[in-house]
Amino acid sequence: MKKYLFLTLVLLAPIIVYADIVEIDGIYYDVIVKGDVAEVTRSPIGYNGDIVIPESITYDGKKYVVTKVGNNAFHLERGVTSVTIPNSVTTIGNSAFWNCTGLCSIIIPNSVSAIEYGAFSGCTALRSITLPNSASTLGTSLFSFCTGLKSVVLPNGITAIPQDMFKGCSGIESITIPNSVTTTGEYNQEIKGETNVEIIPV
């Protein structure tokens, strides 16, 4: 009986996915060995300049597809000026580019389906951004305190603008909003006529 109980507990235990942290061409990754995927992660020495993330990396003779810009991956990396995200990435994690004050441009492909909480919060040098139509999940505070942000194009298909998405975006001038949006919420004052923002329906 005791043996049977022990075996049951072992079988019900969660499967542990092990990851290695590796550096390839100046970019650090969490390599999920069991899933054949990799996520961009924080660098112990920091990131600078123009970052071009590859679609895949090779580690220990095996190929891993890069599917995510991980949580806090470029958090407070003020020396990063531009980022190109590959078509393999599906998720931009929480606070991935939080307070990247030197970030001027970012290319987000149509493969990205989720952009999580505060991903671009505090990116004060960012002037414009177009979110791909594939991005069906948007986190709260996505562009909060992006004081230099002037224009935003939101993806088709979303039905609501997340809480505090444009909080503190004092320089915003135009927002392209799809007709699928049914509510902007009381929290997005910048798009409720309290500032001179041009609303462009599509």
Side-chain angles (χ1 to χ4, degrees):
M1 181 66 179
K2 289 182 179 179
K3 185 177 180 180
Y4 175 80
L5 179 60
F6 172 76
L7 289 173
T8 302
L9 290 174
V10 169
L11 291 172
L12 291 177
I15 297 173
I16 300 172
V17 178
Y18 292 96
D20 294 334
I21 296 179
V22 300
E23 180 272 328
I24 298 175
D25 296 330
I27 300 177
Y28 285 78
Y29 303 89
D30 280 324
V31 173
I32 315 300
V33 176
K34 200 157 188 174
D36 295 343
V37 297
E39 300 178 0
V40 179
T41 192
R42 291 184 63 80
S43 165
I45 59 174
Y47 291 110
N48 286 284
D50 301 326
I51 306 295
V52 179
I53 300 170
E55 289 192 1
S56 64
I57 60 172
T58 300
Y59 170 60
D60 265 357
K62 188 175 180 180
K63 181 179 176 180
Y64 295 88
V65 178
V66 180
T67 58
K68 182 177 179 178
V69 179
N71 298 347
N72 304 299
F74 295 94
H75 181 101
L76 281 171
E77 296 289 4
R78 297 187 171 99
V80 172
T81 52
S82 72
V83 177
T84 300
I85 298 174
N87 286 319
S88 57
V89 168
T90 59
T91 303
I92 298 175
N94 294 335
S95 303
F97 298 96
W98 188 84
N99 263 23
C100 285
T101 54
L103 183 64
C104 298
S105 67
I106 185 163
I107 297 174
I108 305 174
N110 275 320
S111 59
V112 172
S113 59
I115 306 175
E116 297 176 347
Y117 167 81
F120 302 103
S121 180
C123 292
T124 54
L126 199 60
R127 296 291 177 264
S128 65
I129 191 166
T130 297
L131 300 183
N133 289 331
S134 57
S136 57
T137 301
L138 303 178
T140 59
S141 303
L142 204 56
F143 301 112
S144 60
F145 302 104
C146 289
T147 53
L149 190 62
K150 294 185 179 298
S151 67
V152 178
V153 177
L154 298 178
N156 289 330
I158 61 169
T159 57
I161 295 176
Q163 182 175 352
D164 293 334
M165 188 172 193
F166 300 105
K167 182 179 180 180
C169 293
S170 55
I172 201 159
E173 295 175 355
S174 71
I175 304 171
T176 302
I177 300 177
N179 288 328
S180 54
V181 170
T182 57
T183 178
T184 59
E186 296 178 356
Y187 25 75
N188 288 298
Q189 299 300 325
E190 290 80 3
I191 57 176
K192 289 176 71 65
E194 296 193 9
T195 59
N196 295 321
V197 178
E198 181 184 7
I199 304 299
I200 306 171
V202 292

